[in-house]
Amino acid sequence: MNSAPQIPPVEPQAESCWRRIGVWGDRTCPELAAHSHCGNCPVFAAAGRALFDRAAPDGYLGEWADVLATPADSREETVSALVLRLGPVWLALPSAAVASITELRAPHLVPHRSGKIFTGLVNIAGELQLAFDVRALFGLAAAAPANLALSSRVYPRLVLCRREGRAFAFAADEVYGSAALPLSQMLPVPSSAGAALSIYARGQFSFRKRQLLLLDDELLAAALARLQLS
């Protein structure tokens, strides 16, 4: 069965200024005073346009022609998910639940409510969102084994999710990106995942020589809503 062809990820300017001296670097860029954020800078915008304007790899269009010529009922069923890491564990969160991914920021404490799992409120795009420590909910350690990362440079991120009218944000130690996971390759959740995490996992996949667990986003959203109200 044919799967969707992938264009290899290309990062313009391997030593991109926004990662060295911009908001994702040491913030020494003199242009930050004028633009406030790298996202407002013409250099960043030009690099983004270059990504979309680059030529497709050899054979890419032909591969897509083969995929589209394949009857829909014979294509492999997949689930689109955001691949991320919490401490020592790789997880997959269904893409339908992911609203945005932003820079990490500290939550504002809510008196008599903030605790180990519900950590407070966080400002995302001008709106206050409920913030949780999902790693604590799953009972995961903060430390990760060496060589577990998938990214060349690891940046913690804040992930905002929306599901069934509920919104919640949580910190991820690493966000790799989206992936299409073949459901035919999903394995049962191993006992080594631990009792807490096993409650919220639907199955396990092998991904880039790592094992990752597919989360049940609806169950997770419902559980966090109960914790916030308790």
Side-chain angles (χ1 to χ4, degrees), residues 1 9 18 20 22 35 70 78 95 131 137-138 151 159 164 180 218 226 228:
M1 287 177 284
W18 52 87
R20 290 186 293 104
H35 299 295
T70 304
T78 62
S95 299
L137 174 68
F138 295 157
S151 310
V159 180
E164 303 298 327
E218 294 184 2
R226 290 194 299 271
Q228 192 271 329

Side-chain angles (χ1 to χ4, degrees), residues 15 26 36 38 41 51 92 96 101 111 127-128 139 146 162 190 221 224:
E15 291 298 323
D26 60 15
S36 300
C38 293
C41 178
L51 281 178
I101 302 170
E127 295 185 6
L128 291 179
R162 296 187 189 277
L224 293 178

Side-chain angles (χ1 to χ4, degrees), residues 22-38:
V23 295
W24 294 285
D26 60 15
R27 296 177 178 266
T28 59
C29 178
E31 297 299 321
L32 280 177
H35 299 295
S36 300
H37 192 282
C38 293

Side-chain angles (χ1 to χ4, degrees), residues 2-229:
N2 294 327
S3 59
Q6 300 292 318
I7 294 181
V10 176
E11 182 179 348
Q13 308 174 21
E15 291 298 323
S16 307
C17 57
W18 52 87
R19 293 194 183 281
R20 290 186 293 104
I21 58 176
V23 295
W24 294 285
D26 60 15
R27 296 177 178 266
T28 59
C29 178
E31 297 299 321
L32 280 177
H35 299 295
S36 300
H37 192 282
C38 293
N40 303 321
C41 178
V43 175
F44 188 85
R49 286 194 298 271
L51 281 178
F52 287 105
D53 292 341
R54 72 187 190 274
D58 293 341
Y60 179 77
L61 297 180
E63 290 180 29
W64 261 115
D66 293 340
V67 170
L68 296 177
T70 304
D73 57 3
S74 66
R75 297 176 194 166
E76 188 167 21
E77 186 178 3
T78 62
V79 57
S80 176
L82 178 70
V83 177
L84 55 89
R85 180 173 57 83
L86 297 181
V89 175
W90 278 102
L91 302 167
L93 182 66
S95 299
V98 180
S100 67
I101 302 170
T102 65
E103 291 181 305
L104 190 64
R105 61 204 67 180
H108 301 283
L109 299 180
V110 178
H112 311 297
R113 300 299 297 273
S114 295
K116 183 178 180 181
I117 298 177
F118 172 60
T119 57
L121 300 173
V122 65
N123 187 321
I124 300 178
E127 295 185 6
L128 291 179
Q129 306 289 353
L130 302 176
F132 296 86
D133 187 339
V134 176
R135 189 171 58 194
L137 174 68
F138 295 157
L140 300 175
N147 302 321
L148 187 66
L150 282 169
S151 310
S152 57
R153 296 185 181 181
V154 178
Y155 299 94
R157 290 288 183 259
L158 189 65
V159 180
L160 175 64
C161 299
R162 296 187 189 277
R163 196 40 129 181
E164 303 298 327
R166 303 183 180 98
F168 60 93
F170 67 93
D173 296 299
E174 180 180 353
V175 174
Y176 178 75
S178 60
L181 305 174
L183 289 177
S184 63
Q185 298 179 18
M186 185 167 68
L187 301 173
V189 179
S191 57
S192 58
L197 182 54
S198 297
I199 295 174
Y200 302 98
R202 293 170 50 190
Q204 178 176 265
F205 290 88
S206 179
F207 181 79
R208 297 188 178 276
K209 299 182 180 181
R210 310 288 194 278
Q211 300 304 312
L212 60 86
L213 296 172
L214 176 64
L215 294 174
D216 186 323
D217 52 309
E218 294 184 2
L219 185 61
L220 177 60
L224 293 178
R226 290 194 299 271
L227 286 169
Q228 192 271 329
L229 293 173

